[in-house]
C-alpha cells in the first residue's frame, strides 16, 4: 500500500468512525428522551389521578354538598387552612393555580394542592405539593412530584349540550348574575406541564363532578 492509498484509507476510516459516533449519540439522545418523557408521564399521571380523586370525593363536613375552592397564580398558606397566597411574577410559576377540597370522612379531610419552587439557582425547580392536616391538626406539606413548570385548572359550566370552560378567577363564590357560581360547575380540567433535561411534557385530564 503506497502513501496515497494509506491516506485515503485513513480518511475513509475516520468518516466511518464519525458516522458511527454520531449515530450512537443520536440513538442515546433518543433513548434518553423516551425514558425522561415516560418517567415524567407516569409521575404526572399518578399526581393528577390523586388530585382527581380528591375532587371527585370532595364534600362539606356534613357530606351534603360539593365544595372546592381554587385561585389562579397562588399557593396555599402554611399556617391557615384553606387560605391562598397569591404569587406574582416569576414566583407564580407561569400563573399556576392552587386548590383545596374538604371531605366528610375525617381520615381524608382537608386536601390542598399547589406548586412552589424548591432549591436554589440551577437546581431550582417547581414542585407539586399536597397539603393536609396531621393528627394534631397542624398543616403539613408533602412533595408529590418535581420538574413542574405549571398547573392550570379550568372549570366546566354546562351550557345546553356543551361544556363552557372558565378560569377559576372568573367564577364567583356568591350568587351573582354577572359571573358563574361555583355551584354551577359540572367538571374540572387539570393541566400539568413538566420539563426535565430539555425535554417537556404536558398532560391534561377532565374530571366530572359526582356531587353536581
Amino acid at each position: 500500500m503506497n502513501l496515497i492509498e494509506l491516506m485515503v484509507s485513513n480518511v475513509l476510516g475516520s468518516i466511518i468512525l464519525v458516522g458511527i459516533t454520531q449515530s450512537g449519540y443520536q440513538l442515546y439522545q433518543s433513548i434518553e428522551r423516551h425514558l425522561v418523557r415516560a418517567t415524567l408521564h407516569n409521575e404526572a399521571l399518578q399526581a393528577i389521578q390523586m388530585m382527581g380523586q380528591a375532587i371527585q370525593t370532595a364534600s362539606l363536613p356534613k357530606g351534603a354538598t360539593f365544595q372546592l375552592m381554587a385561585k389562579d397564580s397562588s399557593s396555599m398558606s402554611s399556617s391557615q387552612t384553606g387560605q391562598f397566597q397569591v404569587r406574582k411574577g416569576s414566583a407564580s410559576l407561569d400563573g399556576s393555580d392552587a386548590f383545596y377540597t374538604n371531605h366528610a370522612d375525617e381520615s381524608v379531610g382537608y386536601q390542598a394542592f399547589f406548586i412552589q419552587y424548591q432549591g436554589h439557582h440551577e437546581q431550582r425547580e417547581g414542585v407539586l405539593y399536597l397539603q393536609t392536616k396531621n393528627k394534631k391538626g397542624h398543616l403539613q406539606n408533602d412533595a408529590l412530584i418535581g420538574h413542574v413548570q405549571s398547573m392550570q385548572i379550568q372549570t366546566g359550566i354546562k351550557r345546553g349540550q356543551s361544556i363552557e370552560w372558565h378560569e377559576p378567577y372568573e367564577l364567583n363564590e356568591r350568587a351573582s348574575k354577572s359571573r358563574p357560581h361555583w355551584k354551577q360547575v359540572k367538571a374540572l380540567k387539570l393541566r400539568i406541564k413538566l420539563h426535565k433535561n430539555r425535554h417537556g411534557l404536558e398532560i391534561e385530564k377532565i374530571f366530572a363532578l359526582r356531587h353536581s
Side-chain angles (χ1 to χ4, degrees), residues 86-105:
V86 177
R87 296 188 177 277
K88 298 181 179 180
S90 60
S92 71
L93 275 86
D94 197 22
S96 290
D97 297 316
F99 74 93
Y100 73 87
T101 65
N102 285 311
H103 196 282
D105 186 345

Side-chain angles (χ1 to χ4, degrees), residues 111-174:
Q111 295 182 86
F113 299 86
F114 64 96
I115 310 296
Q116 185 169 297
Y117 275 123
Q118 180 176 287
H120 302 282
H121 306 296
E122 293 81 5
Q123 303 300 322
R124 196 181 190 205
E125 67 172 9
V127 176
L128 172 62
Y129 282 93
L130 166 63
Q131 184 178 86
T132 56
K133 287 183 179 180
N134 59 25
K135 294 181 179 180
K136 295 182 178 180
H138 300 152
L139 292 176
Q140 62 181 27
N141 297 332
D142 297 305
L144 296 180
I145 59 171
H147 312 295
V148 182
Q149 280 190 312
S150 67
M151 177 177 71
Q152 264 80 40
I153 303 170
Q154 286 188 306
T155 56
I157 308 295
K158 191 173 183 180
R159 302 292 188 190
Q161 298 300 316
S162 61
I163 296 291
E164 186 179 277
W165 295 101
H166 294 265
E167 304 299 329
Y169 66 84
E170 295 178 323
L171 272 69
N172 203 345
E173 297 175 17
R174 298 181 180 179

Side-chain angles (χ1 to χ4, degrees), residues 16-31:
I16 294 173
L17 181 60
V18 169
I20 293 174
T21 302
Q22 289 180 340
S23 297
Y25 181 68
Q26 290 173 351
L27 178 61
Y28 169 78
Q29 284 187 315
S30 177
I31 293 174

Side-chain angles (χ1 to χ4, degrees), residues 68-72 74 84 97-100 153 168-169 173 182:
L68 176 139
M69 298 308 301
K71 297 288 183 182
D72 63 308
S74 61
F84 294 102
D97 297 316
F99 74 93
Y100 73 87
I153 303 170
Y169 66 84
E173 297 175 17
W182 274 101

